[in-house]
Amino acid sequence: TLRKTPAWAAWQGRDRTFMPQEDFAELVEERLIDFAEPAGAVMLELAQTFKATTKVDFESTRRLKSGETTLEYREATEATAGKKGTVAVPDTFTLALQPFEGSDAYRVPVRFRYRIRDSRLTLGYVIERPEELVRSAFADVCEFVGSNIDVDIWSGKPET
């Protein structure tokens, strides 16, 4: 049985979960070593100093003659990071993670996400295709084991 690494469990456990800025910053600080691009220090500064504002424009017109109504709603969100707002907010970042104990490390693409709801900022991320990464890591472990023993490796279980 393959065991997940603490790093993989930490990142996978919060995948697709929005959290308060402080919780996100603590996760980044605890897992600094996992960042490949940008560097962990850059991501920590981003997590600690992230600011986002949303501006909403609403316009309504109604023609009395015909009853025709036009509604227009525009929402624009601006995000900055860094003490002076100079840290670029990435769309994605890359982690270097071992999914299983003893397996190779893989470059894991992650999409950065943020939301402003009810005047609260939350931060999160989405690991891109984690099931494919786990499948690939499992196959690599099977291949390694198979090349070092004299027994065929079978995946799955036989039908009875």
Side-chain angles (χ1 to χ4, degrees), residues 15 24 27 36 41 58 60 77 82 106 113 115 117 119 121 151:
D15 185 27
F24 184 79
L27 173 65
F58 182 77
S60 172
T77 301
Y106 295 82
R113 296 288 185 254
R115 300 287 184 267
R117 291 196 180 112
S119 301
L121 173 66
V151 178

Side-chain angles (χ1 to χ4, degrees), residues 5-6 9 11 14 39 46 62 87 95-96 107 112 135 139 155:
T5 62
W11 287 105
R14 291 192 172 180
L46 179 143
R62 184 168 188 114
V87 175
L95 300 171
R107 292 179 63 81
F112 178 63
R135 193 176 304 116
S155 181

